[in-house]
Amino acid sequence: MAPQAQMEEEELQLDEDAGPMLVSRLEGTSVAAGDVKKLQEAGYYTVESVAYSTKKCLLGVKGISEAKADKILAEAKKLIPMGFTSATNIHKQRQDIITLTTGSQDLDNLLKGGIETGSITEVFGEFRTGKTQLCHTLCVACQLPVENGGGSGKALYIDSEGTFRPERLKSIAERYGLNGDDVLDNVAFARAHNSDHQLQLLNQACALMSESRYALIVVDSATALYRTDYIGRGELASRQQHMRYALIVVDSATALYRTDYIGRGELASRQQHMAKFLRSLQKICDEFGVAAVITNQVVAQVDGGAMFVADPKKPIGGNIIAHASQTRLYLRKGRGENRICKIYDSPSLPEAEATFAIGEDGIIDPTDD
């Protein structure tokens, strides 16, 4: 074997040993190949997805008995570390987190770099506050090199409101000097027609991400739970033919629930279904290290306490969506094309505000009136 070919094979082997493990890795253990195929058919595409699941979930897979479920979980947990580690290790891992630029320097400064990968960011506000425009900008920005504020990856876009516009992606691509047709090819789009379909699309997203994993060359991505690493270095990047996914957008995550579940009598069912959807989305972040951005609608408070509140609008979804999102951003209208973003909740960012604007080329820094 030629030295160059051998080096490439070693690099590809390194990639297989880092980041998300495909569920086929279980075939090398005591798990039968037939059982691995059953897991794949049920939507378990990575070893992480198996290890993070409960025994009850595995028993729901057709052909998996209790004894097989115990064996599968035991083998998966041998491959995936799930015990305690020191805060020092977590701190080092978080220093490697990649953030995606929003297109506005002021907004990036507010978020300490941009949208964090490996977690869910919720963006809520009234209509015409820039939620969908931010999502479109991120779909282009995530394709930029890491050193330019991107993630060197593709984007997945789930649209429940019919507001996705590919021509906007082309105009934003011109701003960054990217080829518009290539940008569109790197965005996978799906229209969600009901809340059940929206959940099913997440399973399809896992399949897409696991398939692109084979064509992906990643260096130093062992901390997949906390980061999405860039694709290759030096000549390795020039040899790549495909990119992995760096971003998943759900616009809007809650719109369909407002029409599929009506009245207080269905409130419990709605919240349970929404919790399952958000949990599935978090699993995708954990398994593949992508950034998840969901938009949310608001509702006006009409009770007696609303008169004592400066802004009576609040995000819908209640505590379910509040606890599921790591970072919550509240957008409101400013003067002219300017918008204001407030950090509504975050485990690491202080409550603060920043002003940005909506331009022909996406999210930009604020304009002077």
Side-chain angles (χ1 to χ4, degrees):
M1 182 181 294
Q4 181 69 18
Q6 183 176 0
M7 184 179 69
E8 291 184 9
E9 184 177 341
E10 290 176 352
E11 288 167 340
L12 288 171
Q13 183 62 41
L14 176 64
D15 176 54
E16 291 181 358
D17 294 334
M21 298 184 199
L22 294 175
V23 73
S24 57
R25 285 285 293 272
L26 290 175
E27 292 183 14
T29 64
S30 60
V31 180
D35 292 334
V36 172
K37 185 177 180 181
K38 294 174 184 176
L39 291 173
Q40 291 174 324
E41 292 174 349
Y44 294 90
Y45 299 102
T46 65
V47 179
E48 285 86 352
S49 65
V50 175
Y52 300 157
S53 296
T54 63
K55 181 178 177 181
K56 178 182 177 181
C57 290
L58 293 184
L59 290 175
V61 178
K62 186 177 181 180
I64 301 297
S65 63
E66 186 170 351
K68 288 182 177 180
D70 289 333
K71 181 191 295 185
I72 291 171
L73 282 174
E75 294 296 343
K77 290 177 180 178
K78 288 179 183 178
L79 297 173
I80 306 299
M82 297 181 63
F84 285 98
T85 186
S86 68
T88 300
N89 288 336
I90 299 299
H91 181 62
K92 290 179 180 178
Q93 291 169 351
R94 285 197 56 81
Q95 288 179 328
D96 288 333
I97 288 178
I98 287 175
T99 54
L100 305 178
T101 179
T102 62
S104 166
Q105 187 62 50
D106 291 347
L107 191 52
D108 287 347
N109 292 338
L110 176 72
L111 300 174
K112 305 300 182 186
I115 301 297
E116 186 177 287
T117 54
S119 64
I120 299 175
T121 299
E122 176 195 356
V123 183
F124 67 91
E126 288 185 286
F127 66 96
R128 215 173 67 84
T129 54
K131 302 186 298 294
T132 298
Q133 298 303 317
L134 176 60
C135 293
H136 280 68
T137 302
L138 288 171
C139 283
V140 179
C142 75
Q143 302 181 38
L144 294 170
V146 174
E147 56 269 23
N148 293 340
S152 292
K154 299 180 181 181
L156 278 158
Y157 200 111
I158 299 176
D159 180 14
S160 67
E161 297 184 320
T163 54
F164 178 75
R165 297 294 182 269
E167 55 268 25
R168 287 292 290 141
L169 299 184
K170 281 200 166 188
S171 63
I172 297 170
E174 291 180 7
R175 166 188 177 182
Y176 292 109
L178 300 175
N179 182 282
D181 292 333
D182 291 340
V183 166
L184 294 184
D185 288 339
N186 289 327
V187 178
F189 170 80
R191 177 70 189 273
H193 298 285
N194 57 64
S195 54
D196 288 337
H197 184 215
Q198 184 170 292
L199 181 59
Q200 293 168 6
L201 288 174
L202 286 189
N203 292 331
Q204 295 181 28
C206 290
L208 286 173
M209 291 181 186
S210 62
E211 289 170 2
S212 66
R213 175 83 169 73
Y214 275 115
L216 167 67
I217 299 176
V218 180
V219 178
D220 190 23
S221 62
T223 57
L225 181 63
Y226 297 97
R227 65 181 297 190
T228 50
D229 208 344
Y230 52 93
I231 302 178
R233 292 193 179 99
E235 295 180 356
L236 188 60
S238 65
R239 289 197 303 268
Q240 73 174 44
Q241 295 179 348
H242 301 278
M243 293 158 52
R244 54 94 182 94
Y245 289 92
L247 172 71
I248 180 168
V249 172
V250 185
D251 182 23
S252 144
T254 54
L256 295 174
Y257 288 96
R258 302 185 77 174
T259 54
D260 291 353
Y261 298 88
I262 307 297
R264 291 186 177 274
E266 295 185 329
L267 180 60
S269 299
R270 185 190 81 169
Q271 294 301 88
Q272 289 174 5
H273 196 290
M274 188 183 299
K276 185 176 181 181
F277 171 80
L278 293 169
R279 180 56 190 152
S280 298
L281 186 61
Q282 182 61 59
K283 283 185 177 181
I284 291 178
C285 293
D286 293 341
E287 292 171 38
F288 300 98
V290 299
V293 176
I294 61 175
T295 66
N296 193 6
Q297 301 175 347
V298 295
V299 63
Q301 290 180 264
V302 294
D303 54 15
M307 66 181 66
F308 302 106
V309 181
D311 190 350
K313 295 180 290 294
K314 63 178 182 180
I316 69 172
N319 292 328
I320 294 294
I321 197 166
H323 292 306
S325 306
Q326 280 77 47
T327 302
R328 309 187 78 191
L329 304 179
Y330 175 34
L331 305 187
R332 66 181 190 271
K333 300 170 186 174
R335 287 187 173 184
E337 294 301 317
N338 289 344
R339 304 291 186 268
I340 300 171
C341 176
K342 176 182 179 181
I343 296 180
Y344 195 79
D345 181 41
S346 171
S348 58
L349 301 174
E351 184 174 311
E353 294 183 350
T355 303
F356 65 95
I358 302 173
E360 182 66 26
D361 48 1
I363 300 299
I364 57 177
D365 284 323
T367 58
D368 296 329
D369 296 328

